[in-house]
Amino acid sequence: MKIFWPKNGNFDNVLCNLNNQKLNQPFAEEVIAFTQSLSKRFVRMRYMPEVVALGYWLRKSNIKQMQAEFEKATKGKVVRGRGTAFHIAPSNVDTIFVYSWMLSLLAGNRNIIRISSKTEINELLQVILEELPNYKSLAEQIIICTYGHDESATEMLSLTCHTRVIWGGDETVKAIRKIPLAPLANELAFPDRFSLAILNSEKVMLLDDEALDALLEQFYNDVFWFDQMACSSPRLIVWIGEKIESFWTAFERKIQKKQHELLAATQVLKYSTSLQLAAENYVEKVVPITNFSRIKLNDVPRDVREKHCGGGLFYEYEVENLIDLEQIIIDKDQTIAYFGFEKPELKELVESISTRGIDRIVPIGQALNFDGVWDGQSFLTSFTREVIIL
Protein backbone atom coordinates (compact mmCIF):
# COMPACT_ATOMS: atom_id res chain seq x y z
CA MET A 1 0.00 0.00 0.00
CA LYS A 2 1.24 3.46 -0.93
CA ILE A 3 0.22 6.41 1.23
CA PHE A 4 0.05 9.84 -0.40
CA TRP A 5 -1.25 11.48 2.78
CA PRO A 6 -0.16 11.75 5.54
CA LYS A 7 3.44 11.65 4.41
CA ASN A 8 6.01 9.31 5.93
CA GLY A 9 3.51 7.38 8.03
CA ASN A 10 3.07 3.71 8.92
CA PHE A 11 -0.41 2.74 7.75
CA ASP A 12 -1.51 1.04 10.97
CA ASN A 13 -0.44 4.08 13.01
CA VAL A 14 -2.01 6.48 10.53
CA LEU A 15 -5.32 4.60 10.61
CA CYS A 16 -5.30 4.45 14.42
CA ASN A 17 -4.66 8.19 14.59
CA LEU A 18 -7.46 8.92 12.13
CA ASN A 19 -9.98 6.90 14.12
CA ASN A 20 -9.09 8.84 17.26
CA GLN A 21 -9.97 12.18 15.68
CA LYS A 22 -13.23 13.83 16.74
CA LEU A 23 -15.78 14.57 14.05
CA ASN A 24 -16.34 18.11 12.84
CA GLN A 25 -19.70 19.81 12.88
CA PRO A 26 -21.30 19.89 9.42
CA PHE A 27 -19.93 22.80 7.38
CA ALA A 28 -17.14 23.53 9.85
CA GLU A 29 -15.24 26.75 9.12
CA GLU A 30 -11.90 24.98 8.62
CA VAL A 31 -13.44 22.66 6.05
CA ILE A 32 -15.00 25.57 4.16
CA ALA A 33 -11.64 27.39 4.23
CA PHE A 34 -9.96 24.28 2.77
CA THR A 35 -12.52 24.08 -0.04
CA GLN A 36 -11.87 27.72 -0.89
CA SER A 37 -8.11 27.19 -1.08
CA LEU A 38 -8.67 24.33 -3.49
CA SER A 39 -11.23 26.29 -5.49
CA LYS A 40 -8.83 29.19 -6.05
CA ARG A 41 -6.11 26.82 -7.26
CA PHE A 42 -8.37 24.69 -9.45
CA VAL A 43 -10.00 27.55 -11.38
CA ARG A 44 -6.55 28.68 -12.54
CA MET A 45 -5.85 25.30 -14.20
CA ARG A 46 -7.38 26.43 -17.50
CA TYR A 47 -5.74 23.66 -19.50
CA MET A 48 -7.80 21.12 -17.51
CA PRO A 49 -11.45 22.20 -17.96
CA GLU A 50 -12.80 19.39 -15.78
CA VAL A 51 -10.67 20.68 -12.88
CA VAL A 52 -11.83 24.24 -13.54
CA ALA A 53 -15.42 22.96 -13.31
CA LEU A 54 -14.57 21.34 -9.97
CA GLY A 55 -13.06 24.61 -8.74
CA TYR A 56 -16.16 26.50 -9.82
CA TRP A 57 -18.37 23.99 -7.97
CA LEU A 58 -16.26 24.56 -4.84
CA ARG A 59 -16.64 28.35 -4.96
CA LYS A 60 -17.80 29.92 -1.70
CA SER A 61 -21.22 31.01 -2.95
CA ASN A 62 -22.07 27.42 -3.93
CA ILE A 63 -20.80 25.97 -0.65
CA LYS A 64 -22.74 28.57 1.34
CA GLN A 65 -25.89 27.80 -0.66
CA MET A 66 -25.48 24.10 0.16
CA GLN A 67 -24.97 25.02 3.80
CA ALA A 68 -28.11 27.16 3.89
CA GLU A 69 -30.20 24.39 2.30
CA PHE A 70 -28.74 21.79 4.68
CA GLU A 71 -29.38 23.92 7.76
CA LYS A 72 -32.93 24.66 6.61
CA ALA A 73 -33.63 20.93 6.11
CA THR A 74 -32.13 20.01 9.52
CA LYS A 75 -33.40 22.96 11.57
CA GLY A 76 -34.14 21.89 15.14
CA LYS A 77 -32.39 18.55 14.64
CA VAL A 78 -29.09 17.21 15.98
CA VAL A 79 -27.18 16.02 12.92
CA ARG A 80 -23.67 14.54 12.95
CA GLY A 81 -21.36 12.96 10.44
CA ARG A 82 -21.57 9.18 10.29
CA GLY A 83 -17.89 8.70 11.24
CA THR A 84 -15.31 7.53 8.72
CA ALA A 85 -16.11 7.48 5.00
CA PHE A 86 -14.12 5.17 2.71
CA HIS A 87 -14.09 6.39 -0.91
CA ILE A 88 -13.03 4.04 -3.71
CA ALA A 89 -12.23 6.27 -6.68
CA PRO A 90 -12.65 5.23 -10.34
CA SER A 91 -9.86 5.11 -12.90
CA ASN A 92 -11.64 6.91 -15.76
CA VAL A 93 -12.67 10.27 -14.21
CA ASP A 94 -9.94 11.85 -12.09
CA THR A 95 -12.10 14.50 -10.44
CA ILE A 96 -15.10 12.46 -9.29
CA PHE A 97 -13.62 11.28 -5.98
CA VAL A 98 -13.00 14.91 -4.98
CA TYR A 99 -16.71 15.74 -5.21
CA SER A 100 -17.84 12.94 -2.90
CA TRP A 101 -14.87 13.54 -0.58
CA MET A 102 -15.65 17.27 -0.29
CA LEU A 103 -19.30 16.54 0.53
CA SER A 104 -18.23 14.01 3.14
CA LEU A 105 -15.86 16.57 4.67
CA LEU A 106 -18.63 19.16 4.71
CA ALA A 107 -20.87 16.61 6.46
CA GLY A 108 -18.26 16.38 9.24
CA ASN A 109 -16.70 12.99 8.52
CA ARG A 110 -13.20 11.58 8.66
CA ASN A 111 -12.19 10.28 5.23
CA ILE A 112 -10.10 7.56 3.61
CA ILE A 113 -9.65 7.92 -0.15
CA ARG A 114 -8.36 4.96 -2.14
CA ILE A 115 -7.17 6.23 -5.50
CA SER A 116 -6.93 3.83 -8.44
CA SER A 117 -3.61 2.00 -8.60
CA LYS A 118 -3.40 3.26 -12.20
CA THR A 119 -3.14 6.82 -10.88
CA GLU A 120 0.16 8.47 -10.08
CA ILE A 121 0.49 11.88 -8.45
CA ASN A 122 -1.15 14.08 -11.07
CA GLU A 123 -1.60 17.85 -10.94
CA LEU A 124 -4.98 17.59 -9.23
CA LEU A 125 -3.64 15.39 -6.46
CA GLN A 126 -0.48 17.50 -6.18
CA VAL A 127 -2.54 20.62 -5.43
CA ILE A 128 -4.47 18.77 -2.73
CA LEU A 129 -1.25 17.49 -1.12
CA GLU A 130 0.22 21.00 -1.17
CA GLU A 131 -2.82 22.54 0.54
CA LEU A 132 -3.43 19.94 3.26
CA PRO A 133 -0.48 21.00 5.51
CA ASN A 134 -2.14 24.42 5.87
CA TYR A 135 -5.09 22.82 7.69
CA LYS A 136 -3.48 20.76 10.42
CA SER A 137 -6.60 19.70 12.32
CA LEU A 138 -8.44 18.73 9.15
CA ALA A 139 -5.37 16.97 7.75
CA GLU A 140 -5.41 14.60 10.72
CA GLN A 141 -8.81 13.36 9.56
CA ILE A 142 -7.72 12.34 6.06
CA ILE A 143 -5.88 9.40 4.50
CA ILE A 144 -5.18 9.27 0.76
CA CYS A 145 -3.73 5.98 -0.42
CA THR A 146 -3.54 3.53 -3.28
CA TYR A 147 -3.07 -0.21 -3.64
CA GLY A 148 -3.68 -2.93 -6.21
CA HIS A 149 -6.48 -5.49 -6.24
CA ASP A 150 -5.97 -6.43 -2.61
CA GLU A 151 -9.19 -7.73 -1.05
CA SER A 152 -7.62 -7.90 2.41
CA ALA A 153 -6.82 -4.18 2.35
CA THR A 154 -10.31 -3.32 1.11
CA GLU A 155 -11.84 -5.57 3.79
CA MET A 156 -9.81 -3.93 6.56
CA LEU A 157 -10.87 -0.45 5.46
CA SER A 158 -14.47 -1.55 4.87
CA LEU A 159 -14.73 -2.91 8.41
CA THR A 160 -13.25 0.32 9.74
CA CYS A 161 -15.54 2.73 7.92
CA HIS A 162 -19.11 3.87 8.59
CA THR A 163 -19.87 4.72 4.95
CA ARG A 164 -18.37 3.10 1.87
CA VAL A 165 -18.53 4.94 -1.47
CA ILE A 166 -17.79 2.89 -4.59
CA TRP A 167 -17.12 4.59 -7.92
CA GLY A 168 -16.48 2.08 -10.69
CA GLY A 169 -17.79 -0.29 -13.30
CA ASP A 170 -20.42 -2.94 -12.68
CA GLU A 171 -17.81 -5.64 -12.09
CA THR A 172 -15.92 -3.44 -9.61
CA VAL A 173 -19.10 -2.78 -7.66
CA LYS A 174 -20.02 -6.49 -7.63
CA ALA A 175 -16.53 -7.49 -6.46
CA ILE A 176 -16.40 -4.92 -3.66
CA ARG A 177 -19.93 -5.68 -2.50
CA LYS A 178 -18.74 -9.21 -1.70
CA ILE A 179 -16.38 -7.69 0.87
CA PRO A 180 -18.18 -7.21 4.20
CA LEU A 181 -18.89 -3.86 5.80
CA ALA A 182 -19.11 -3.06 9.49
CA PRO A 183 -22.67 -3.86 10.68
CA LEU A 184 -23.61 -0.19 11.18
CA ALA A 185 -22.06 1.04 7.94
CA ASN A 186 -24.02 2.15 4.89
CA GLU A 187 -22.92 2.12 1.27
CA LEU A 188 -23.27 4.29 -1.82
CA ALA A 189 -22.46 2.55 -5.10
CA PHE A 190 -22.07 4.28 -8.46
CA PRO A 191 -21.71 1.60 -11.16
CA ASP A 192 -21.70 1.87 -14.95
CA ARG A 193 -24.44 4.15 -16.29
CA PHE A 194 -25.44 5.24 -19.76
CA SER A 195 -26.64 8.67 -20.85
CA LEU A 196 -28.31 10.30 -23.82
CA ALA A 197 -29.12 13.64 -25.40
CA ILE A 198 -32.49 14.56 -26.86
CA LEU A 199 -32.96 17.26 -29.48
CA ASN A 200 -36.16 18.86 -30.68
CA SER A 201 -35.68 18.85 -34.45
CA GLU A 202 -37.99 21.79 -35.07
CA LYS A 203 -36.23 23.95 -32.49
CA VAL A 204 -32.79 23.07 -33.86
CA MET A 205 -33.90 24.03 -37.39
CA LEU A 206 -34.93 27.48 -36.15
CA LEU A 207 -31.49 28.31 -34.73
CA ASP A 208 -29.42 30.95 -36.47
CA ASP A 209 -25.68 30.35 -36.94
CA GLU A 210 -24.72 32.02 -33.66
CA ALA A 211 -27.26 30.11 -31.58
CA LEU A 212 -26.34 26.81 -33.26
CA ASP A 213 -22.67 27.42 -32.54
CA ALA A 214 -23.48 28.06 -28.88
CA LEU A 215 -25.43 24.77 -28.70
CA LEU A 216 -22.58 22.87 -30.38
CA GLU A 217 -20.08 24.37 -27.92
CA GLN A 218 -22.12 23.00 -25.02
CA PHE A 219 -22.59 19.65 -26.73
CA TYR A 220 -18.85 19.41 -27.40
CA ASN A 221 -18.09 19.97 -23.70
CA ASP A 222 -20.56 17.29 -22.61
CA VAL A 223 -18.99 14.78 -24.98
CA PHE A 224 -15.26 15.39 -25.07
CA TRP A 225 -14.16 16.58 -21.62
CA PHE A 226 -13.72 12.96 -20.63
CA ASP A 227 -13.65 11.53 -24.16
CA GLN A 228 -17.26 10.40 -23.68
CA MET A 229 -16.24 8.01 -20.88
CA ALA A 230 -18.03 9.78 -18.00
CA CYS A 231 -21.29 8.09 -17.01
CA SER A 232 -23.22 11.27 -17.80
CA SER A 233 -21.64 11.92 -21.21
CA PRO A 234 -24.27 11.55 -23.97
CA ARG A 235 -23.71 8.48 -26.13
CA LEU A 236 -27.17 8.07 -27.65
CA ILE A 237 -28.59 11.05 -29.57
CA VAL A 238 -32.36 10.95 -29.93
CA TRP A 239 -34.03 13.25 -32.42
CA ILE A 240 -37.64 14.12 -31.60
CA GLY A 241 -38.71 14.50 -35.20
CA GLU A 242 -36.36 14.03 -38.14
CA LYS A 243 -32.60 14.14 -37.68
CA ILE A 244 -30.87 17.32 -38.80
CA GLU A 245 -27.84 16.58 -40.98
CA SER A 246 -26.62 20.17 -40.79
CA PHE A 247 -26.18 19.73 -37.03
CA TRP A 248 -23.50 17.10 -37.59
CA THR A 249 -21.81 19.04 -40.39
CA ALA A 250 -21.50 22.05 -38.10
CA PHE A 251 -20.35 19.82 -35.23
CA GLU A 252 -17.53 18.44 -37.35
CA ARG A 253 -16.37 22.00 -38.04
CA LYS A 254 -16.55 22.75 -34.31
CA ILE A 255 -14.28 19.80 -33.47
CA GLN A 256 -11.80 20.82 -36.15
CA LYS A 257 -11.74 24.35 -34.78
CA LYS A 258 -11.10 22.98 -31.28
CA GLN A 259 -8.23 20.89 -32.68
CA HIS A 260 -9.36 18.02 -30.49
CA GLU A 261 -7.14 14.97 -30.81
CA LEU A 262 -7.92 11.44 -29.71
CA LEU A 263 -5.31 8.83 -28.95
CA ALA A 264 -4.57 6.51 -31.86
CA ALA A 265 -5.74 3.56 -29.78
CA THR A 266 -9.09 5.29 -29.18
CA GLN A 267 -9.49 5.93 -32.90
CA VAL A 268 -8.77 2.29 -33.74
CA LEU A 269 -11.21 1.06 -31.08
CA LYS A 270 -13.93 3.39 -32.35
CA TYR A 271 -13.40 2.22 -35.92
CA SER A 272 -13.43 -1.48 -35.01
CA THR A 273 -16.51 -1.02 -32.81
CA SER A 274 -18.31 0.70 -35.69
CA LEU A 275 -17.51 -2.21 -38.03
CA GLN A 276 -18.77 -4.76 -35.49
CA LEU A 277 -21.99 -2.83 -34.97
CA ALA A 278 -22.56 -2.61 -38.73
CA ALA A 279 -23.38 -6.33 -38.73
CA GLU A 280 -26.26 -5.94 -36.23
CA ASN A 281 -29.82 -6.00 -37.59
CA TYR A 282 -30.83 -2.98 -35.46
CA VAL A 283 -28.18 -0.82 -37.18
CA GLU A 284 -29.41 1.00 -40.28
CA LYS A 285 -26.24 2.79 -41.24
CA VAL A 286 -22.71 3.50 -40.02
CA VAL A 287 -21.23 6.91 -40.81
CA PRO A 288 -17.56 6.94 -39.80
CA ILE A 289 -15.87 10.35 -39.73
CA THR A 290 -12.37 11.12 -38.54
CA ASN A 291 -13.49 13.01 -35.44
CA PHE A 292 -16.60 10.96 -34.61
CA SER A 293 -18.76 8.13 -35.87
CA ARG A 294 -22.55 7.94 -36.14
CA ILE A 295 -24.39 4.65 -35.75
CA LYS A 296 -27.97 5.07 -36.95
CA LEU A 297 -30.33 2.71 -35.10
CA ASN A 298 -33.82 1.44 -35.86
CA ASP A 299 -34.10 0.06 -32.31
CA VAL A 300 -32.24 0.49 -29.01
CA PRO A 301 -31.74 -2.98 -27.51
CA ARG A 302 -30.48 -3.22 -23.94
CA ASP A 303 -27.09 -4.68 -24.80
CA VAL A 304 -26.14 -1.98 -27.31
CA ARG A 305 -25.13 0.14 -24.32
CA GLU A 306 -22.42 -2.37 -23.38
CA LYS A 307 -20.86 -2.14 -26.84
CA HIS A 308 -20.21 1.59 -26.68
CA CYS A 309 -16.50 2.49 -26.56
CA GLY A 310 -16.53 6.27 -26.09
CA GLY A 311 -14.17 8.59 -27.96
CA GLY A 312 -16.83 10.23 -30.14
CA LEU A 313 -19.13 7.33 -31.02
CA PHE A 314 -22.77 8.40 -31.34
CA TYR A 315 -25.77 6.13 -31.51
CA GLU A 316 -28.55 7.99 -33.32
CA TYR A 317 -32.26 7.28 -33.06
CA GLU A 318 -35.50 9.02 -34.01
CA VAL A 319 -38.90 9.10 -32.30
CA GLU A 320 -41.99 11.04 -33.32
CA ASN A 321 -42.92 12.35 -29.87
CA LEU A 322 -40.98 12.94 -26.65
CA ILE A 323 -43.22 10.56 -24.70
CA ASP A 324 -42.16 7.73 -27.06
CA LEU A 325 -38.74 7.84 -25.44
CA GLU A 326 -40.03 5.92 -22.42
CA GLN A 327 -40.10 2.73 -24.50
CA ILE A 328 -36.30 2.55 -24.70
CA ILE A 329 -35.32 3.69 -21.17
CA ILE A 330 -33.82 0.98 -18.94
CA ASP A 331 -32.43 0.95 -15.39
CA LYS A 332 -28.90 1.67 -16.59
CA ASP A 333 -29.85 5.02 -18.16
CA GLN A 334 -28.79 7.96 -15.99
CA THR A 335 -28.78 11.42 -17.58
CA ILE A 336 -30.80 13.06 -20.33
CA ALA A 337 -29.25 16.22 -21.73
CA TYR A 338 -31.90 18.13 -23.67
CA PHE A 339 -32.49 20.98 -26.06
CA GLY A 340 -35.83 22.45 -27.12
CA PHE A 341 -38.18 21.14 -24.42
CA GLU A 342 -40.03 22.68 -21.48
CA LYS A 343 -40.09 21.38 -17.92
CA PRO A 344 -43.75 20.16 -18.00
CA GLU A 345 -42.94 18.00 -21.06
CA LEU A 346 -39.91 16.53 -19.32
CA LYS A 347 -41.86 15.86 -16.14
CA GLU A 348 -44.50 14.03 -18.17
CA LEU A 349 -41.77 11.89 -19.68
CA VAL A 350 -40.35 11.00 -16.25
CA GLU A 351 -43.79 10.02 -14.97
CA SER A 352 -44.29 7.71 -17.97
CA ILE A 353 -41.08 5.71 -17.43
CA SER A 354 -41.76 2.33 -15.85
CA THR A 355 -38.13 1.33 -15.18
CA ARG A 356 -35.57 2.59 -12.63
CA GLY A 357 -33.89 4.62 -15.37
CA ILE A 358 -33.15 8.38 -15.48
CA ASP A 359 -31.95 10.28 -12.43
CA ARG A 360 -31.01 13.57 -14.08
CA ILE A 361 -32.48 15.73 -16.84
CA VAL A 362 -30.36 18.79 -17.62
CA PRO A 363 -29.86 21.23 -20.50
CA ILE A 364 -27.16 20.28 -23.02
CA GLY A 365 -23.92 21.69 -21.64
CA GLN A 366 -24.66 20.63 -18.06
CA ALA A 367 -24.40 16.85 -18.43
CA LEU A 368 -21.09 16.72 -16.55
CA ASN A 369 -22.05 19.21 -13.83
CA PHE A 370 -21.89 17.53 -10.45
CA ASP A 371 -24.67 17.92 -7.92
CA GLY A 372 -25.12 16.94 -4.27
CA VAL A 373 -27.79 14.50 -5.45
CA TRP A 374 -26.29 11.90 -7.79
CA ASP A 375 -27.94 8.77 -9.18
CA GLY A 376 -30.97 9.72 -7.11
CA GLN A 377 -29.05 9.75 -3.81
CA SER A 378 -28.35 12.77 -1.60
CA PHE A 379 -24.74 12.73 -0.43
CA LEU A 380 -25.25 14.98 2.59
CA THR A 381 -28.17 12.83 3.77
CA SER A 382 -26.19 9.61 3.30
CA PHE A 383 -23.06 11.05 4.93
CA THR A 384 -24.86 12.15 8.11
CA ARG A 385 -27.03 10.68 10.86
CA GLU A 386 -29.66 12.24 13.06
CA VAL A 387 -29.40 11.94 16.85
CA ILE A 388 -32.79 11.94 18.60
CA ILE A 389 -32.92 13.77 21.94
CA LEU A 390 -36.25 13.64 23.78
Side-chain angles (χ1 to χ4, degrees), residues 358-384:
I358 305 303
D359 292 308
R360 302 172 68 236
I361 301 181
V362 300
I364 286 177
Q366 297 182 29
L368 301 180
N369 290 7
F370 191 83
D371 192 83
V373 176
W374 198 256
D375 281 6
Q377 304 177 88
S378 167
F379 279 100
L380 287 175
T381 299
S382 299
F383 284 148
T384 55

Side-chain angles (χ1 to χ4, degrees), residues 233-249:
S233 298
R235 303 174 191 179
L236 167 65
I237 312 304
V238 180
W239 292 97
I240 314 304
E242 294 184 2
K243 60 182 175 292
I244 309 298
E245 289 295 333
S246 58
F247 174 90
W248 294 111
T249 304

Side-chain angles (χ1 to χ4, degrees), residues 193-194 300-303 305-306 325-334 353 355-358:
R193 302 297 299 273
F194 184 89
V300 187
R302 299 175 66 91
D303 64 350
R305 295 160 175 81
E306 312 301 331
L325 195 63
E326 63 88 15
Q327 300 171 17
I328 66 169
I329 298 298
I330 65 171
D331 289 1
K332 194 181 191 72
D333 298 331
Q334 183 211 56
I353 296 171
T355 66
R356 164 64 179 79
I358 305 303

Side-chain angles (χ1 to χ4, degrees), residues 287-324:
V287 184
I289 304 173
T290 301
N291 294 304
F292 61 89
S293 294
R294 295 163 59 193
I295 312 295
K296 300 182 182 181
L297 307 178
N298 57 38
D299 190 18
V300 187
R302 299 175 66 91
D303 64 350
V304 73
R305 295 160 175 81
E306 312 301 331
K307 298 175 182 179
H308 199 282
C309 64
L313 181 72
F314 296 103
Y315 296 146
E316 200 169 4
Y317 188 64
E318 297 175 35
V319 295
E320 186 174 344
N321 301 298
L322 179 61
I323 202 72
D324 298 332

Side-chain angles (χ1 to χ4, degrees), residues 19 126 138 145 160 186 204 227 314 327 337 367:
N19 288 330
Q126 185 61 46
L138 180 63
C145 64
T160 296
N186 68 343
V204 173
D227 283 340
F314 296 103
Q327 300 171 17

Side-chain angles (χ1 to χ4, degrees), residues 100-198:
S100 64
W101 172 35
M102 290 297 111
L103 286 165
S104 180
L105 277 177
L106 290 165
N109 291 305
R110 301 177 292 262
N111 290 272
I112 302 168
I113 302 99
R114 185 261 177 177
I115 293 173
S116 170
S117 57
K118 300 175 184 178
T119 303
E120 294 298 325
I121 295 184
N122 55 27
E123 292 179 73
L124 174 69
L125 184 55
Q126 185 61 46
V127 168
I128 292 168
L129 296 178
E130 289 172 1
E131 290 295 332
L132 275 172
N134 300 323
Y135 301 90
K136 296 189 183 300
S137 176
L138 180 63
E140 294 281 329
Q141 302 171 353
I142 294 166
I143 295 174
I144 304 176
C145 64
T146 188
Y147 56 86
H149 298 288
D150 185 348
E151 286 191 10
S152 61
T154 301
E155 181 172 359
M156 175 188 65
L157 295 174
S158 295
L159 292 173
T160 296
C161 75
H162 303 93
T163 295
R164 183 167 67 186
V165 185
I166 310 170
W167 296 95
D170 292 350
E171 295 308 312
T172 296
V173 171
K174 288 177 184 177
I176 293 173
R177 277 187 161 168
K178 294 177 183 177
I179 298 172
L181 275 169
L184 284 176
N186 68 343
E187 181 177 77
L188 300 177
F190 300 96
D192 289 331
R193 302 297 299 273
F194 184 89
S195 294
L196 54 150
I198 58 174

